[in-house]
Amino acid sequence: MEDIKTPKVDNVSLVERFSSRRNAVGSLYLTATHLIYVDHDNKRETWILHSHISSVGKLPLSTTGSPLQIRTKTFISMTFIVPKERDAHDLFTSLNKMCQPENIEDLYCFRYNIGPDEMEKSYGWSFFNIREDFERMNVPPESWTMTTLNKDYDLCDTYPRHLFVPTAAATSVLIGSSRFRSRGRLPVMTYMHSNKAALCRCSQPLSGFSARCVEDENLFMCIQKANPNTAQLVVVDTRPRINAMANRAAGKGYESEANYENTRFMFTGIDNIHVMRSSLAKVVETCDLKSQMMSAFLNGLEGSGWLRHTKSVIDAALSVARTLEEGSSVLVHCSDGWDRTAQVCGLAQIMLDPYYRTFDGFQALICKEWLEFGHKFSDRSGHIQVDPKEVSPVFTQWLESVWQLIQLYPFVFEFNERLLLTIHDHLHSCQFGTFIGNCEKDRIDLRVSEKTYSLWGYLATHKTEFLNPLYQLEENKKCVFTKPQPTLQLPQSTSQPPQSPSQPPQTFKFWRGMYCRWENGLHPRESLMDLATSYKDHMHSLNDHIKLLKKRIRHLEKKSSDDADIPYINGNNTELQLDDNRLNYKKGLNEQVNLKVQLQEKDVNEHPLIDGENAWSKKEAVVSKPSHPLEFASEQFYPGLSEADITIEDLTEELESIALDWKSVRTATECPCSTPLDFSSFKRHCSRCGGIFCSRCLEKLVSLPGHVTLQQSRVCMVCYKACFPKSMESPE
């Protein structure tokens, strides 16, 4: 708090970039964690985390005041006009100090507290285990084994404790190879294909112009022998060849083909972190252009080269995936093995393994490739004060590569775009301890699992927000990214040709949801994914309600049928003289069921494998005569529902507990709590009243009596109180 010199400034104007209306005027508040702008006239609040701020700039003075331009790592660009230059200078100084603390333990995650009622601090930290992931791959123990050489991080302090290496590799071979590799990152397995071809990763060798290492060469031979398909090993160097040759002058470089037998080398030409940082900066400048001409935007986007760089990452991953499909093991590395290597290995596994395209599998992949095997998140994201040359959007580019794949294959990913955006936002927010530090050892030393919350726990509690409504499990299982895939069966006039990630550059899209997310004037009125999710949830709710109604109708028909068989008039039994076609139909059904039961009993009695002693017990197990011809369809699937003593009040409650009509997403502009609902907001429906609310107002889960499955449904606070009126009363 000592860095805050001016906690509040009034009469601050917010410059509207894409609107003809006059600038908003409000108050600017500076707290220990956020910069808050309150527009009192429009009832709008804008909260910016200090850790999200990437730069604060002072623009030339104007007649109305001193402009401050704030850009964030989530690609928000806001310009505030502060009336007094002194207040602007105080804000400028305070924000520059608070957006990047000097000590990593001063980050927001070490102070953030949700409360035990919403989520325990330990929830989510034990969701994923690297050993369980390798067990899922069915790694053959005769070829690969888990070594404990790195249990204290002595072999490589940026690798995980548990490493899978060839069983034939001796300890001396592993230690020697580690000393020959940059940062000690020796070749280890990160994924095994179903055909037993292995995907390995490492860093560049310390070969210089002529140095060699016998232990490193022997480790290559062990990897080759562990593959039952072929003896050839493919080494993929993700750098441009000229960059790898330049590293030789620094005593590093790449492997010599003369020293490694049965090895094929290839370069994929992905540029380094400095080129990527400059490229993304040009994209941000293009999005901030004052000119609204499409030609200026397209020229700026093409000049940045960002989409071209993203395509090079996807092409490299596709090459690795195809090589593994052919049965050859692959070893991937770049310079230090934690930037381009993680990008290519992660994308290749998404292309090959359907599990990594699911909600849980995608998080497990991030844990393994980026967190366990080390990526300099704190340096690359600029969490604390570091060398600006170390900052680079490596993980952002990887998330965009995944998004590009989702655009090509929308039916095979269980998660949606919002999951990618949420992970990206919380990478920079430092609200959770998941991405703090540069490797697993750093997070253990900081005790983040004890002091901070896990992002995976937060995502698990909000899972419904991140599910893709177009996802189809069978399509995911049979999808092969390495070959052109036909789309789902569509009408002949709208059918599309087979597609593959190796598409021409013009098929790659600009990710408007990431880089222009906050510019409401550039988006349609609603998100298509939100509309699809809303329709799917509504249909699921209605289908569940219809099943209950059918069950109740069958019960009432059965009851009326029983009453019709033995009617009572003035307390005396009388014969039924009515000729009702429905009763005749049911009578015919009863006769058919009785006949079917008799035939089944006959088949059981005459079966040659059943003796006389067990025939009756077997017959009882096979057939059981129902009391109603349609009872099989009701009680068999929903045995937990009792229909005894159902009253009119119960039926009325069931009918009124489900909203048949849901409000349209298109007309929703504001939540009842006054939270604006724009393109980036996730709009949710209350299952009981059908109203639209923000995520914060729709966190209650209840089992509505109008659903036959009694599944947990989200309801607003008003409906929650209506469902539990007694529990909401004051104890007094």
Side-chain angles (χ1 to χ4, degrees), residues 391-676:
V391 178
S392 185
V394 176
F395 190 69
T396 300
Q397 187 179 50
W398 184 75
L399 290 177
E400 176 165 348
S401 301
V402 176
W403 179 82
Q404 296 287 355
L405 294 181
I406 294 178
Q407 304 310 300
L408 291 174
Y409 298 85
F411 303 102
V412 303
F413 287 88
E414 188 184 17
F415 53 90
N416 58 18
E417 175 188 18
R418 182 169 277 106
L419 177 66
L420 304 179
L421 295 175
T422 302
I423 292 176
H424 176 268
D425 290 351
H426 287 300
L427 160 67
H428 297 289
S429 72
C430 301
Q431 184 173 336
F432 302 94
T434 304
F435 296 109
I436 302 302
N438 292 328
C439 59
E440 181 185 78
K441 183 177 182 297
D442 287 353
R443 286 179 281 275
I444 291 177
D445 293 340
L446 292 170
R447 297 164 57 195
V448 294
S449 60
E450 302 174 18
K451 299 180 179 180
T452 68
Y453 291 91
S454 170
L455 175 61
W456 313 131
Y458 169 80
L459 296 179
T461 57
H462 298 77
K463 182 176 180 178
T464 55
E465 299 181 20
F466 309 116
L467 296 180
N468 177 14
L470 304 179
Y471 174 68
Q472 297 189 12
L473 179 61
E474 294 303 321
E475 288 293 323
N476 183 22
K477 290 181 178 179
K478 66 182 182 181
C479 180
V480 181
F481 278 67
T482 54
K483 299 178 182 179
Q485 296 296 308
T487 58
L488 292 182
Q489 295 297 325
L490 299 174
Q492 187 66 27
S493 59
T494 60
S495 61
Q496 300 178 7
Q499 53 189 2
S500 170
S502 57
Q503 292 286 305
Q506 59 268 25
T507 61
F508 285 77
K509 302 178 181 179
F510 172 71
W511 194 1
R512 183 185 59 196
M514 170 71 84
Y515 306 111
C516 299
R517 191 188 342 170
W518 312 104
E519 303 293 351
N520 293 330
L522 300 180
H523 296 282
R525 288 179 296 177
E526 68 281 332
S527 167
L528 293 179
M529 279 297 174
D530 285 350
L531 281 176
T533 302
S534 174
Y535 293 151
K536 185 176 181 179
D537 292 344
H538 194 192
M539 291 174 59
H540 183 74
S541 176
L542 292 179
N543 286 331
D544 208 353
H545 188 51
I546 289 172
K547 291 178 182 178
L548 179 70
L549 296 179
K550 289 182 177 180
K551 182 177 175 65
R552 295 292 180 253
I553 291 173
R554 287 194 294 266
H555 170 68
L556 294 175
E557 289 179 346
K558 176 184 175 183
K559 186 175 181 181
S560 63
S561 176
D562 294 341
D563 293 342
D565 291 338
I566 309 177
Y568 287 85
I569 300 179
N570 296 328
N572 299 321
N573 291 345
T574 61
E575 293 185 1
L576 182 65
Q577 300 296 330
L578 298 176
D579 188 10
D580 194 329
N581 288 332
R582 291 178 299 171
L583 297 180
N584 293 334
Y585 172 73
K586 291 175 182 175
K587 182 179 179 181
L589 282 179
N590 276 312
E591 292 177 354
Q592 294 179 18
V593 172
N594 291 333
L595 178 61
K596 186 175 182 179
V597 170
Q598 293 175 5
L599 292 175
Q600 289 177 339
E601 292 177 354
K602 181 179 179 181
D603 293 340
V604 171
N605 290 328
E606 296 179 356
H607 199 282
L609 298 181
I610 298 180
D611 54 17
E613 181 179 358
N614 297 326
W616 180 250
S617 60
K618 187 68 176 179
K619 178 173 60 178
E620 285 186 325
V622 173
V623 294
S624 177
K625 181 179 178 181
S627 59
H628 188 270
L630 298 180
E631 191 173 271
F632 283 127
S634 59
E635 302 299 334
Q636 181 178 359
F637 295 102
Y638 311 108
L641 297 177
S642 174
E643 295 180 342
D645 302 328
I646 294 180
T647 63
I648 296 297
E649 290 76 11
D650 295 333
L651 293 176
T652 303
E653 182 183 1
E654 291 176 351
L655 293 175
E656 294 180 350
S657 66
I658 301 299
L660 300 182
D661 294 326
W662 283 12
K663 292 184 179 179
S664 174
V665 177
R666 297 181 178 182
T667 59
T669 58
E670 187 179 79
C671 177
C673 70
S674 299
T675 300

